[in-house]
Amino acid sequence: MEYESYYMSLWNRLSQSNGDSQIDCVQLEKDVCKFESVLENVSDTASISSDQWIGSLAVAGSLATQGFAWSNSGIAAAANKWITAVHSHSNECSERCVAKDEHKITSKTFRSISTTFVHPYFAAESRDASTTYTLTGVREKRTHVFGKQKWKTNLQSIACFTWALEHLRPEDTVDVISFILPVVLALIDDYDTKMKTRGLRLAIVLMTEKIDTAFLRKSGIAGIFEKSIEPSLVFRSDEGQLGVELLEAGFEAATLTTRIQYTQTDHPRYTEQWWKLAERIVANTMYVSDKVSAMTVLCSRISVICQALGPAISRYLRSLVGLLVQAMRSLVFIDSKVCKLHMTVVGQFSELTQACLPRIYVYVEEIIAALAYSWCSTQSRDCTAVDDVRELRSHIVELVGKFKETLLFSGTIRDNLDPEHKYTDQEALDAINACQTNELLDVPAGKYVYDPNDNNDDNLDGPWIEGIGLNKWIKPGSETFSVGQAQLVGLCRALLWKCKLIVLDEATANADSNTDKIIQKAIREKFTDCTVLTIAHRLNTISWTAIEYLFLDHGQVKEFDSPSNLLADKNSQFSKLIESMKLSQTLLD
């Protein structure tokens, strides 16, 4: 079989996947694997022209591209093997069609593939059809006119273009931008959800892997993308998973174009454009409230917008935090998708504490309530994602720590100490004993645990039965432990996790004197291998075995030395403070 006839027969067969007839992938895989025998039957591979090598490369690349009717692992593997063979043989040609880096193509090859296998399916068929794209700053003005398109019934042209763009050398991209941009925009501007998504993903590849951001901005490409992407930022609820994929690609592309277009925060449109993205997220909530995957996409973009806007996020922070809280509270069952959503939200809250901490603290009570609700929802006995639930609980515990509050969730003491169940029961008991908190395992009168035999999953308030030891249940909404006891549980948790850095910010401010002594003793005796940073406003709440003291006054460092040196200097601020408070010599010793 003649080589050109072989690969063109495969190319034409891919058109079958666009109509009512289904392509026979099994037979197609067998035929793709025949490329070796076809090449062996060629008497002299040197007789195969450079155009034929490029043609076979285009067809093989189309077959290797995922996301089409013919796509499967077997066909892709055979196609990639064929591409490698083309690369090997083309090295023998006088004109290389492939770059030195395996599977990378040059601008010349890309131009040839586009001219033969892509643009004929996008070319104008009537004088009435005339959409014009003009680029400036690319050495000269370049204009392409696309009209009625055949590509909707010849998807192999899109697969071919996708493969060629992904494998084009970045340094050659600008030379063929006039071949790239019209195709990408034709896909983005199409109403079909799948086509829009393909176009957006190609635009993302261009912006992240192929072209320098300065060129994208100065040439006007980023501005063209910005206008074309905007219609994609609305969730198409009737499209199912395709609508979710479009929403995800749309927001990712919109974020990229905004970053590229507006690099200076004082740009007149900087804040306006980021506000638009925030508005889009808020507006989509009415369409995605019952769609877990779409809600995950929206929630995942919030921290990026908040970080970009800084103080200007105040206009939308209330709505965005409300969306995150809604995502945590609207679902009372747990599966892998819901766990992913909840972990996404927890991650967003964590990033928001760094991006706009003073502002986010206004909503701390709502956030903690949502975290508690999420924790309770993982108690369902129908839970099918045990590992995901443990990871989620671990993230919740870490986030609560950022709010500087020792919070206990509904569940057993065992769950509160070790959400992921990484440690044995004996290790948990050892941590409790080391912190002298054994009394927490006792069950005071009126305190109960959830009845595992209760068949009502929604009844989180009862019935309750007595529980002891590590199985002692902390009833949701109750005051099972005092503030001081809750802090002791946090201390046990730090000891169990073998934390190397312990930060105590007024840790005993709300604890009674007895709890204060327990905490101080545990820190002295059990955290000898840790770095302990104690922040205190009262001298009687700090450890007197500290190695060094840092004395601050109105935010200024006054003294920083060992306690012995500070006490030896009667003129030091530290000594004067101790003297003024008339602390007993026993305490000093």
Side-chain angles (χ1 to χ4, degrees), residues 274-275 277-279 281-282 285 299 301-326 348-349 351-364 366-367 403:
W274 285 108
W275 272 351
L277 289 181
E279 287 175 0
I281 289 178
V282 174
T285 56
C299 291
R301 312 309 304 180
I302 290 177
S303 65
V304 174
I305 295 175
C306 291
Q307 289 168 3
L309 283 170
I313 190 57
S314 299
R315 174 182 287 193
Y316 292 100
L317 188 58
R318 166 69 273 178
S319 299
L320 295 176
V321 170
L323 172 60
L324 294 173
V325 169
Q326 175 190 345
Q348 293 295 297
F349 279 138
E351 292 183 26
L352 287 177
T353 59
Q354 300 177 21
C356 47
L357 184 59
R359 294 174 181 82
I360 204 69
Y361 259 103
V362 177
Y363 310 104
V364 164
E366 294 179 49
I367 294 173
F403 291 126

Side-chain angles (χ1 to χ4, degrees), residues 8-79:
M8 287 306 298
S9 67
L10 293 175
W11 175 263
N12 293 328
R13 193 185 309 178
L14 295 182
S15 299
Q16 299 175 11
S17 64
N18 308 302
D20 295 331
S21 59
Q22 295 295 321
I23 192 167
D24 186 350
C25 291
V26 175
Q27 185 59 45
L28 180 61
E29 182 178 346
K30 292 179 181 178
D31 290 341
V32 174
C33 292
K34 291 179 181 178
F35 78 88
E36 291 178 310
S37 60
V38 173
L39 285 174
E40 288 175 358
N41 291 331
V42 176
S43 57
D44 183 10
T45 55
S47 63
I48 299 177
S49 68
S50 176
D51 288 341
Q52 288 177 323
W53 284 123
I54 292 175
S56 62
L57 189 65
V59 175
S62 303
L63 291 163
T65 304
Q66 297 299 308
F68 294 86
W70 59 83
S71 302
N72 65 40
S73 58
I75 292 176

